[in-house]
Amino acid sequence: MLDIQDINTYYGESHILQGLSLQVPEGTVAAILGRNGVGKTTLLHSVNGFVPPRQGSIYYNGVEITKRPVHEIAKQGIALVPQGRRIFSSLNVRENLEVALKKGKDGGQSWDVERIMDFFPRLRERAHHMGNKLSGGEQQMLATGRALAGNPSLLLLDEPTEGLAPIIVKELEGLLLELKKTGVTILLTEQRFGFALRVADHIYVMAQGQIVHDSAPAELWQNEEIKKTYLGV
Amino acid sequence: MTTLAQVGLNTASLASLLFLVAAGLSLTFGLMRVLNMTHGSFYLLGAYVGLTVWRTTGNTPLAILASSLTAAVAGGIIYWGFLKRFSVLDEMPQALLTFGALLVIADFTMWRWGADFFSFPGPAFLRGPVELVGGISYPKYRFFLMGSGLVLAIGLYLFVARTKIGALVRAGVDDKLMVQALGINTPMVFLGVFVFGSFLAGFAGMMGAPFLGINPGLDFEVLILAFVVVIVGGVGNIEGAFVGAILVALIDTATKTYYPELAWFSIYVPMAVILAVRPRGLLGRGA
Amino acid sequence: MSTSTRVAAKNRMGIGSLATGTYAMLGVLVLFVILPHFIPGYYVGVLTRVIIFAIFAIGLNLLMGYTGLPSLGQGAYFGTGAFGVGVMTVTYNVPHPIGMVGAVVIAGLMAAVYGLVALRARGAYFLLITMALTLSTWAIAFTWRSLTGGEDGFPGVTRPGFLPWSLTSEVNYYYFTLFFLVAAVVAFVLIVRSPFGLALQGIRENEQRMRSLGYNTWLYMYIAFIMAGVFGGVAGVLNAYSVGAISPEWTNILPSAEVLLMVILGGPGTIIGPLVGAGAIIGASEILNIHFPERWIMFLGGGYIVFMLFARDGMVGLVRRLLRRWSKR
C-alpha cells in the first residue's frame, strides 16, 4: 500500500503540492484527475523521488521512502511511466527493455523481455526499431513495458493516454485492465475523464496542489458540481 | 604530392590523439552534462607523471601506464570527492568546480615540474622514420599512434554500441534521470565513465608527448581542442568524437601547412557555422 | 505572472528586505565615491577594474541569474566593444562619443546574431555553444591583423575629455566609470523589476510553464541575451580606455570565465551580487598575488572549489544565510 501523508512539494520557489494526502491499497487502481498545472505530475514525481517533498512523508508497504534517492525508491518496487514517455531514443525497442530488467523486491522476475513482448505484441514487431521511430501508442506501450521490466509492485502512470488516438486509448484500456489482474497496484493521472472512470477503482480530484474530492468512480459520475468546477466536464 | 601525403599522415596522427582525449570528454559530457574543464589537466598531469616515471626507470610502457592511471585516479577523485555531491541537475556549479580544479592542477604541475618544455622520444624501437614508397619518410612512432587510436576507436565503438553497459551509457546520455528511475545507481555508472574517460586522457598525454611535447598551458590547449572536436562531432557518442577528431585534425593540419596565418580561424569559425546549422554537432542527436 | 515569483523577486533584492537592500546599495555608492581619496593611486586603478568588471558581470547576471542562461561567452561582446571603440577612434578618427555608442551598438548587434545560434540550446549545451562562439570571435580578432593588430594587440587608445575634465588622470577616469556603473545598476534594477524582468525570472523557474501561459519565452530570452551583450560592450569600451591597448585575448574564454565566476561567487540573481563578485575576485587576485606570488593561482582555484561546495548561492547568499541563522538566535 502506498501511503502519502501531508506532503508539501516545491518546484523551484513555487509551492506545488500543499499538504496532500492519499492512500492506494495494494492491487487497486487509483486515478488522479484535474486540470493542467494542478500538480498531478509533481505528485507522481514526489513519490518516485524526482522532486522530493520538502515536508510530509511517503510510505510504501510500511517503508518510508520520502527523500530517498530515485534509484532506491525504484528498488522498493515503484516504477514510473512518465509523461511524454521518455523513451531512450538511441536504443532500440529491445534494448529499451533490456536496460530496465531487474528482479522485483520479492526477488521474483516474472516479467522478462519475452513476456513483455507477449503482452504487447506490437513491441515484438518493432523490436529492432530505434526508440525515436515509434508511434505515440507504441511509445506508451514501450514505456509501460520498460517499467514492467523492473518487476514493480506499484506502477505510476503519468497521463498515459495523452496524444493517443481513440482506438489506441481503447487498446490501452484493455491492457491496463489485463495488467490489473496480475496484482500490480496502479496510480495514474489523467485528463480523459471517461478513461479514468473505466479503469480506476478509486478517483481523486486535484486542484491547486490539494485533493478536493475523492470517491468511487460511480459516485463522481453523479457529482455534477465537482465535475463542472474542477474538471470542466 | 609529398606535402599532400604529409598532410594526410599528420592528420591521421593528430586525429588519433584528439580522438583519445575527446572520446572521454564526449561521454562524460553526454552522460552527466558536466562541462569538465579538468579533462585537459588530466592529460597534462598524466604526461608529467609518466615523464618522471620514464626518467627514473627508462621503461616506456610503464610510463604510459603511470600516465593513464594517474589521470584515472585524478578523475575518480574529482568525481567521487566533488562532483557526486551535486544533484545531477546542477550543471553550472559542477562546471565551475572543475574550472577551480583546472587552476589548482595547473599550478600544482607548475610547482612540481616548472615552466620547462620537456620532450619524450618514445620507446627505442619506435624511434626513427619509416621509408614509404615515393621517397616519403615518416616517424615510426606516428604510425604506432595512428594504430592505437584506430584500435581504441573501434573497441570503444563496439563497447558502446553492442554491450549492455554500453546501452546503459547511451540511455544515460538520452535521459539520465529516467535511467535512475529504473533502479540503476547512476553515480556508479558516472564514476565508471568518468574514470575511464580520464584514463584515456592520461593515456593520450603520454602517447602524445613525442608529438606535442609536455609543457605548461598544454592542459588548456588540449581541453579547447577536445571541446571543439566534441562540439563539431556531437556530444555523447563515439562516432561523433571520431568524425570530429578527423575533421578538426584535417583542418588544423591543412591550414598550418598551406595558410599558417589562418590556423585558429579555420578551426573555430567552421565550428561556429556547424553549430548554427546543427546545434548538437554533426552526429549529435535531437536538437 | 504568479505571486510567488513576485515575492521571490522581492526576496532577491538585497540582503534582506527591499529597504535594507536599497540602503546597502547607497552605502556601497558612498564608499565608492569617497574611497579614491584615501587610497594610493595604484588601487584607484584596481577599483576602476572592479567597476568595469562589475558592469560586465551585471549584464551576465541578467542572463544567468535572472533568466537561467549561463553563458561562457561574454568575452565576445567585451572584446568587440573594446575593439569597436579602439578602431573607430584611433584608426578612423571618429569622435569619442560616436565611437563609444557605435562600439556598444556593434556589440549588441553581435549578440543579436550570436543569440540566434546560442538560444537553440539550453543548460550545459548553451554553455558549450556560447563558449564556441567566443572562441570563434577570438579567432577572427586574432586573424584579422589589419584591423585588430592580431597577437601584437591594438595600442594607442587614448581617453576622451569629458566636459571640463580630462580623463587621463586615474581618479577622474575612475569617476567616469563609476558614473557608468551607477547608470548600469539603475538600468538593471528597472529591468528586473519591470514586467519584462519578472517574466525572465518566471522563465528561469519554469520555461515550459511560462510558455503555456502564452509568453513568447524565446523572444524574452533573446532580448535578455542582447542586453547582456550590450552591458559587455559598455564594459569593453571602458576597459579599452582604461588600459589604453586592446588584446584579442579579451574576446577569449578567460575573461568569459572570469566574469562568470564573478556572478556565481557574488550571488547570481541578486542585484548586489555581481558587484561583490567583481570586487572579491579582483581583490583576491591582487592580495594573493602580492602575498603568495608563487602559488596564488592554486589558492584562487581552491577558493572556487570551496565556494561551489559550500556556498553555491554565492557570497550574498552566504551572508544572507548567516544573518538568518544569527537573527534566529
Side-chain angles (χ1 to χ4, degrees):
Chain A
M1 149 143 158
L2 175 71
D3 186 3
I4 300 174
Q5 297 180 357
D6 193 24
I7 57 168
N8 285 277
T9 306
Y10 294 73
Y11 204 104
E13 310 210 5
S14 338
H15 192 174
I16 309 280
L17 300 184
Q18 309 181 356
L20 183 147
S21 303
L22 65 80
Q23 284 79 36
V24 187
E26 208 173 323
T28 65
V29 177
I32 298 164
L33 290 170
R35 293 193 165 121
N36 254 332
V38 296
K40 300 192 295 293
T41 296
T42 309
L43 172 58
L44 297 191
H45 286 185
S46 294
V47 175
N48 100 315
F50 277 177
V51 188
R54 271 194 212 168
Q55 291 119 29
S57 315
I58 304 174
Y59 294 89
Y60 183 58
N61 292 339
V63 180
E64 173 150 23
I65 55 168
T66 335
K67 297 180 186 170
R68 297 275 295 276
V70 173
H71 65 273
E72 282 182 23
I73 294 176
K75 282 184 182 154
Q76 292 295 320
I78 299 176
L80 172 72
V81 182
Q83 193 172 21
R85 289 96 199 199
R86 293 170 76 164
I87 298 300
F88 301 123
S89 58
S90 40
L91 271 58
N92 67 27
V93 169
R94 180 176 281 277
E95 286 173 329
N96 260 286
L97 297 175
E98 280 172 355
V99 291
L101 284 175
K102 75 171 166 55
K103 290 196 173 102
K105 180 93 200 299
D106 54 4
Q109 193 160 13
S110 57
W111 289 100
D112 55 19
V113 174
E114 285 314 304
R115 183 167 166 218
I116 293 168
M117 288 189 166
D118 288 341
F119 195 79
F120 302 105
R122 280 156 170 270
L123 295 185
R124 189 184 298 284
E125 292 164 27
R126 302 270 169 177
H128 295 288
H129 284 61
M130 295 309 275
N132 55 359
K133 298 283 191 297
L134 301 178
S135 71
E138 289 162 352
Q139 283 189 22
Q140 186 58 45
M141 287 172 195
L142 180 54
T144 313
R146 183 178 64 182
L148 290 172
N151 289 283
S153 47
L154 171 64
L155 267 182
L156 308 171
L157 293 156
D158 200 353
E159 306 223 359
T161 67
E162 190 187 27
L164 300 185
I167 183 156
I168 307 288
V169 174
K170 202 75 210 158
E171 190 178 343
L172 198 65
E173 187 182 318
L175 288 168
L176 280 188
L177 291 171
E178 198 70 28
L179 211 53
K180 190 178 160 184
K181 286 188 201 147
T182 67
V184 67
T185 311
I186 296 175
L187 173 61
L188 62 89
T189 67
E190 255 311 326
Q191 302 250 23
R192 279 188 217 242
F193 186 65
F195 177 85
L197 259 53
R198 285 191 297 275
V199 297
D201 302 310
H202 202 85
I203 306 272
Y204 292 89
V205 178
M206 262 181 92
Q208 289 179 344
Q210 285 163 338
I211 303 286
V212 289
H213 169 92
D214 82 277
S215 70
E219 201 180 309
L220 176 64
W221 183 247
Q222 278 148 15
N223 192 333
E224 294 299 332
E225 170 89 37
I226 292 282
K227 284 201 298 193
K228 218 171 88 194
T229 323
Y230 297 110
L231 303 172
V233 202
Chain B
M1 192 58 217
T2 321
T3 41
L4 202 62
Q6 288 280 1
V7 167
L9 290 166
N10 284 340
T11 297
S13 23
L14 182 61
S16 304
L17 204 58
L18 288 180
F19 172 78
L20 288 178
V21 186
L25 193 68
S26 176
L27 285 184
T28 47
F29 184 85
L31 201 57
M32 296 152 63
R33 299 286 189 272
V34 174
L35 207 57
N36 176 20
M37 305 274 200
T38 47
H39 202 69
S41 314
F42 299 151
Y43 174 99
L44 188 62
L45 182 67
Y48 275 127
V49 171
L51 182 80
T52 306
V53 168
W54 175 73
R55 288 179 154 185
T56 337
T57 65
N59 186 335
T60 303
L62 191 68
I64 295 178
L65 189 69
S67 174
S68 316
L69 288 180
T70 303
V73 170
I77 292 172
I78 293 284
Y79 180 71
W80 203 256
F82 299 101
L83 298 182
K84 192 173 83 79
R85 295 156 161 262
F86 294 87
S87 137
V88 286
L89 298 175
D90 281 331
E91 296 157 351
M92 272 310 296
Q94 299 189 62
L96 289 163
L97 189 142
T98 63
F99 186 72
L102 174 143
L103 295 179
V104 171
I105 296 175
D107 209 39
F108 172 76
T109 52
M110 180 74 96
W111 184 14
R112 180 70 188 73
W113 286 279
D116 297 334
F117 282 60
F118 294 104
S119 60
F120 164 63
F125 73 99
L126 289 174
R127 288 176 206 161
V130 179
E131 300 296 332
L132 299 177
V133 285
I136 304 164
S137 69
Y138 200 70
K140 266 188 212 164
Y141 184 82
R142 300 279 181 96
F143 284 105
F144 178 65
L145 188 61
M146 289 175 218
S148 330
L150 199 62
V151 167
L152 263 161
I154 295 170
L156 263 178
Y157 172 76
L158 290 176
F159 178 76
V160 174
R162 298 287 161 80
T163 66
K164 213 157 174 184
I165 298 176
L168 202 59
V169 171
R170 276 181 287 144
V173 170
D174 287 341
D175 191 337
K176 57 188 167 183
L177 254 182
M178 204 55 225
V179 167
Q180 204 177 1
L182 300 176
I184 291 155
N185 187 357
T186 42
M188 287 306 292
V189 180
F190 290 178
L191 176 71
V193 171
F194 209 87
V195 166
F196 183 66
S198 313
F199 181 92
L200 284 181
F203 180 71
M206 207 58 201
M207 290 292 285
F211 186 10
L212 299 180
I214 306 172
N215 55 269
L218 201 56
D219 47 354
F220 203 67
E221 268 172 57
V222 165
L223 176 73
I224 296 300
L225 272 182
F227 269 130
V228 175
V229 168
V230 170
I231 292 169
V232 167
V235 162
N237 65 84
I238 298 297
E239 308 93 291
F242 189 73
V243 172
I246 291 177
L247 212 60
V248 171
L250 177 65
I251 294 175
D252 186 55
T253 313
T255 44
K256 274 184 182 151
T257 311
Y258 299 112
Y259 307 99
E261 69 281 5
L262 292 181
W264 292 110
F265 182 86
S266 61
I267 290 185
Y268 291 153
V269 175
M271 166 182 71
V273 172
I274 287 174
L275 273 180
V277 184
R278 292 188 59 96
R280 296 241 166 147
L282 288 176
L283 299 185
R285 280 177 283 264
Chain C
M1 175 56 42
S2 69
T3 28
S4 66
T5 322
R6 257 180 224 285
V7 174
K10 266 195 169 171
N11 285 340
R12 282 164 183 275
M13 296 272 94
I15 286 170
S17 67
L18 191 69
T20 52
T22 313
Y23 288 132
M25 292 303 286
L26 283 175
V28 171
L29 180 62
V30 170
L31 196 69
F32 268 111
V33 170
I34 60 172
L35 215 48
H37 300 289
F38 298 97
I39 56 176
Y42 171 78
Y43 291 103
V44 175
V46 174
L47 270 185
T48 306
R49 266 194 59 179
V50 170
I51 290 175
I52 292 171
F53 271 87
I55 297 171
F56 194 10
I58 286 171
L60 178 57
N61 189 27
L62 182 68
L63 195 58
M64 181 184 161
Y66 285 82
T67 320
L69 294 169
S71 159
L72 191 46
Q74 294 308 103
Y77 320 110
F78 183 76
T80 300
F83 275 120
V85 79
V87 168
M88 276 192 273
T89 59
V90 178
T91 315
Y92 296 104
N93 282 317
V94 173
H96 282 285
I98 298 176
M100 291 172 76
V101 173
V104 172
V105 169
I106 293 171
L109 287 176
M110 176 178 261
V113 174
Y114 285 4
L116 295 174
V117 179
L119 284 172
R120 295 177 63 180
R122 300 285 182 277
Y125 278 100
F126 180 81
L127 205 68
L128 204 60
I129 293 190
T130 50
M131 183 178 98
L133 289 168
T134 205
L135 275 177
S136 42
T137 311
W138 171 80
I140 293 169
F142 189 81
T143 311
W144 198 347
R145 293 187 66 94
S146 58
L147 190 77
T148 66
E151 59 187 315
D152 303 331
F154 187 94
V157 184
T158 52
R159 295 176 193 168
F162 184 64
L163 303 176
W165 301 288
S166 153
L167 295 180
T168 45
S169 120
E170 281 305 324
V171 174
N172 284 0
Y173 191 67
Y174 168 86
Y175 285 116
F176 184 68
T177 56
L178 186 59
F179 166 76
F180 280 94
L181 177 64
V182 172
V185 170
V186 170
F188 184 71
V189 171
L190 291 178
I191 292 169
V192 298
R193 288 195 198 160
S194 69
F196 170 77
L198 294 174
L200 291 184
Q201 291 162 64
I203 292 171
R204 176 191 65 201
E205 295 300 322
N206 192 341
E207 187 187 342
Q208 216 112 61
R209 182 153 295 187
M210 290 301 280
R211 205 180 298 152
S212 67
L213 288 174
Y215 285 86
N216 183 350
T217 56
W218 182 89
L219 189 64
Y220 279 83
M221 290 188 278
Y222 184 59
I223 294 172
F225 192 92
I226 296 173
M227 284 177 168
V230 166
F231 277 89
V234 171
V237 167
L238 293 175
N239 206 43
Y241 283 133
S242 173
V243 178
I246 309 157
S247 159
E249 294 308 317
W250 293 12
T251 60
N252 211 334
I253 292 185
L254 280 178
S256 310
E258 207 175 345
V259 71
L260 186 64
L261 286 163
M262 286 172 184
V263 174
I264 302 247
L265 238 63
T270 65
I271 286 174
I272 204 165
L275 279 74
V276 174
I281 288 187
I282 292 176
S285 309
E286 287 290 330
I287 292 166
L288 290 174
N289 204 359
I290 291 166
H291 295 285
F292 309 95
E294 295 290 319
R295 294 281 75 83
W296 72 278
I297 291 189
M298 198 178 279
F299 282 102
L300 202 61
Y304 293 151
I305 295 180
V306 169
F307 257 87
M308 285 309 110
L309 286 178
F310 302 111
R312 251 172 282 168
D313 43 358
M315 293 184 174
V316 171
L318 185 70
V319 169
R320 209 180 273 167
R321 267 184 289 141
L322 290 177
L323 282 179
R324 207 174 295 152
R325 195 176 298 169
W326 185 63
S327 66
K328 265 186 195 161
R329 254 180 219 163

